[in-house]
Amino acid sequence: MRAARLIKMVLLLQSRPSMTAAELARELEVSERTITRDAQALSEAGVPVYADRGRAGGYRLIGGYRTRLTGLARGEAEALFLSGVPGALREMGLEDAASAARLKVSAALLPSLRDASKTAAQRFHLDAPNWWSEPKTPELLPALADAVWDDRRVTARYRKGAQEVERELEPYGLVLKAGVWYLCARIPDPGSFRVYRIDRFTTVDASADRFERDEEFDLPAFWEDQAERFARSILRAEVVVRLSPDGVRRLPYALADRVSTGEALERAGAPDEDGWVTVTVAVESEKVARTQLLSLGPEVEVLAPEGLRACFAEDAHRLAALYGT
């Protein structure tokens, strides 16, 4: 375990000018004290690790030192071939580049590892879109992908409701969510980040000017935060329902936000004498809740708001008239 960590530490220092003890500890998931001991062990083994002291200090390799411990194990090689998403690469216009890169990696591997791409493909396949949907590749995706890779500003027109607006954008990253492509971009003035559905762009003109990327920007963290904010923002109403044991089990599948629904079920009180539980859940609107909760049939009773309860009573009467004898 320690040998693997020492090798990774050398490779990290080889790939960057310098790293602080805190940065190395975070990357290697150990304490800063362990980093100090590891640096001393590497130095004693002949690896020229130098520690700069002071606020701007850190660890670095001196003398242009390069390790040759870059051979891939089988598991690492197979993981490398899994890291690409063929469909997404094709839609971004990067299929040829990805294919060439895989060939070069395969050629550089030891003969015993050159079947890694085949064994990985036989064991894992990513099918990103939802069931019963046929997502279309946005026409302007390749142009935006080029701008993202080159850090080029773009002037874009975007459908916003019934209107079309023009934006000057600094495209930071692309996200593929359930078959839908999104662009995470910064608006230079006031410097805020926004998310755009790429299929709503009508024109994209890339500038010859490059923008200076904020190196602190973390695309996965930004997307996770935005996705959670969006999910919470659409839940503008609350309904109080009484659920049978089967209704409790099925409720998270009936409502859109399983996270908030799960939290609501955790807050629910003890079952009543019939084994039913009363729960207050957040929903997008009464209209949407009516459609979603009807899927639970007789396993749910709406208690509030009164208007929604009246709608369910009306639906129940109509169903009884339709199926009654």
Side-chain angles (χ1 to χ4, degrees), residues 252-263:
Y253 301 95
L255 300 182
D257 189 346
R258 293 190 182 184
V259 175
S260 64
T261 303
E263 293 172 352

Side-chain angles (χ1 to χ4, degrees), residues 30 105 125 127 129 171 193 212 235 251 260 268:
V30 295
V105 171
H125 174 69
D127 185 9
F193 287 90
E212 185 174 346
L235 303 178
L251 183 67
S260 64

Side-chain angles (χ1 to χ4, degrees), residues 2 4 7 22 32-33 35 52 58 62 70-71 79 85 92 97 152 156 194 208 240 252 261 312 315-316:
R2 190 190 187 200
I7 292 172
E32 293 186 31
R33 186 183 297 272
I35 293 298
D52 290 315
I62 60 176
T70 53
V85 184
M92 287 189 291
R152 294 188 183 277
R194 304 283 175 84
V240 183
T261 303
F312 268 71
D315 292 334

Side-chain angles (χ1 to χ4, degrees), residues 59-196:
Y59 292 95
R60 61 186 176 87
L61 296 174
I62 60 176
Y65 179 84
R66 306 288 293 179
T67 179
R68 296 187 180 184
L69 298 174
T70 53
L72 294 176
R74 170 167 290 279
E76 295 169 333
E78 290 174 345
L80 178 63
F81 285 106
L82 284 178
S83 63
V85 184
L89 292 171
R90 181 174 59 253
E91 292 177 6
M92 287 189 291
L94 298 174
E95 185 176 24
D96 291 341
S99 177
R102 285 192 294 269
L103 286 173
K104 290 178 181 179
V105 171
S106 295
L109 291 174
L110 293 172
S112 61
L113 299 180
R114 287 178 185 168
D115 64 340
S117 61
K118 181 179 179 181
T119 58
Q122 288 174 336
R123 289 164 173 79
F124 182 82
H125 174 69
L126 176 63
D127 185 9
N130 285 327
W131 288 100
W132 304 294
S133 63
E134 296 182 5
K136 296 181 179 179
T137 303
E139 183 179 346
L140 297 174
L141 175 60
L144 283 169
D146 286 342
V148 168
W149 287 117
D150 291 341
D151 294 338
R152 294 188 183 277
R153 292 187 177 89
V154 299
T155 302
R157 295 192 65 81
Y158 184 81
R159 292 194 305 275
K160 190 175 182 180
Q163 299 180 333
E164 196 172 281
V165 297
E166 186 171 285
R167 292 281 187 269
E168 299 290 331
L169 301 174
E170 296 175 351
Y172 264 65
L174 300 170
V175 175
L176 177 61
K177 169 72 171 180
V180 179
W181 283 96
Y182 296 87
L183 173 71
C184 300
R186 182 171 63 181
I187 302 176
D189 186 14
S192 58
F193 287 90
R194 304 283 175 84
V195 176
Y196 301 89

Side-chain angles (χ1 to χ4, degrees), residues 12 27 60 160 162 167 194 223 227 243 294 313 321:
L12 284 169
E27 288 279 355
R60 61 186 176 87
K160 190 175 182 180
R167 292 281 187 269
R194 304 283 175 84
W223 176 259
L243 298 161
L294 275 173

